[in-house]
Amino acid sequence: DARYPSNTSYFVSVKAGARARSGGLLKATRSYAFVTVGNFEAAFYPDNRTYRDPGDSISIKFNVPPDLATILPNLRIEPPISMTRIYSYFRENDNVFSFGAPFAPSSNYTLTIGANTADRYGRTLGQPLVLKFGTEPLDAYLSLNTNSTIGTYDAHRPTRLFASYRNIGELRFTLWPLS
């Protein structure tokens, strides 16, 4: 079961009159050309940005169909994220494997696709594929817990206004008298 050399072009021709195992004859000459697959390779797709939104998925493009059963066992994320929290999918039409994980905002990660990740022919990457990236902070957020955008308050009582916020250092409110 020898393999053909990688990245090699072949031309095969079977002449008319060739006899099939079943005894039938080939009526016309048939010719085929093919190229053997090169080394098994992978790259982060579409880029290897160093900063990402915490909700972004990460994609890896393979040059040939991978053995999907070898990807997750060879995936390492530092700091670790439980594999039960990772979701993934594979696009067969372009050999892209994508996954998402609950990456924390404002954090640094190293993602490694191990050297033993294999293609469907059993060939491995041979060396790890590494991506170092940081996640961006979450966007600033502010919401006043009121019934509408305008409120009226009694000046003879202490005024309390509740707010939900994220990545905001200080909130200042001004109360204006109504006349």
Side-chain angles (χ1 to χ4, degrees), residues 155-178:
H156 300 292
R157 297 175 139 179
T159 300
R160 289 186 183 175
L161 185 61
F162 296 95
S164 298
Y165 61 93
R166 174 180 62 221
N167 288 343
I168 294 178
E170 182 178 342
L171 297 175
R172 292 186 186 181
F173 298 96
T174 303
L175 298 178
W176 298 90
L178 296 174

Side-chain angles (χ1 to χ4, degrees), residues 142-149 161-164 171 173:
L142 169 65
S143 175
L144 299 177
N145 297 334
T146 62
N147 291 330
S148 91
T149 57
L161 185 61
F162 296 95
S164 298
L171 297 175
F173 298 96

Side-chain angles (χ1 to χ4, degrees), residues 11 20-21 33 69 72 136 171 173:
F11 182 79
R21 204 179 271 186
L72 289 179
E136 297 171 345
L171 297 175
F173 298 96

Side-chain angles (χ1 to χ4, degrees), residues 22-39:
S22 63
L25 294 176
L26 185 62
K27 294 181 182 179
T29 298
R30 299 283 182 153
S31 299
Y32 305 94
F34 66 93
V35 177
T36 55
V37 175
N39 295 328

Side-chain angles (χ1 to χ4, degrees), residues 53-58 77 81 99-105 107 109 111 133 135:
D53 183 284
D56 281 356
S57 62
I58 295 177
I77 301 171
I81 294 175
F99 72 94
F103 295 112
S107 299
Y109 289 93
L111 173 67
F133 67 95
T135 53

Side-chain angles (χ1 to χ4, degrees), residues 76-129:
R76 191 173 73 241
I77 301 171
E78 294 293 333
I81 294 175
S82 170
M83 286 296 178
T84 61
R85 308 224 29 227
I86 292 175
Y87 62 90
S88 63
Y89 58 94
F90 180 67
R91 292 192 323 235
E92 290 184 25
N93 62 321
D94 59 358
N95 295 323
V96 172
F97 178 83
S98 297
F99 72 94
F103 295 112
S106 303
S107 299
N108 292 317
Y109 289 93
T110 300
L111 173 67
T112 304
I113 306 299
N116 291 326
T117 302
D119 66 11
R120 70 165 74 161
Y121 309 107
R123 296 173 307 166
T124 62
L125 288 175
Q127 62 184 11
L129 178 65

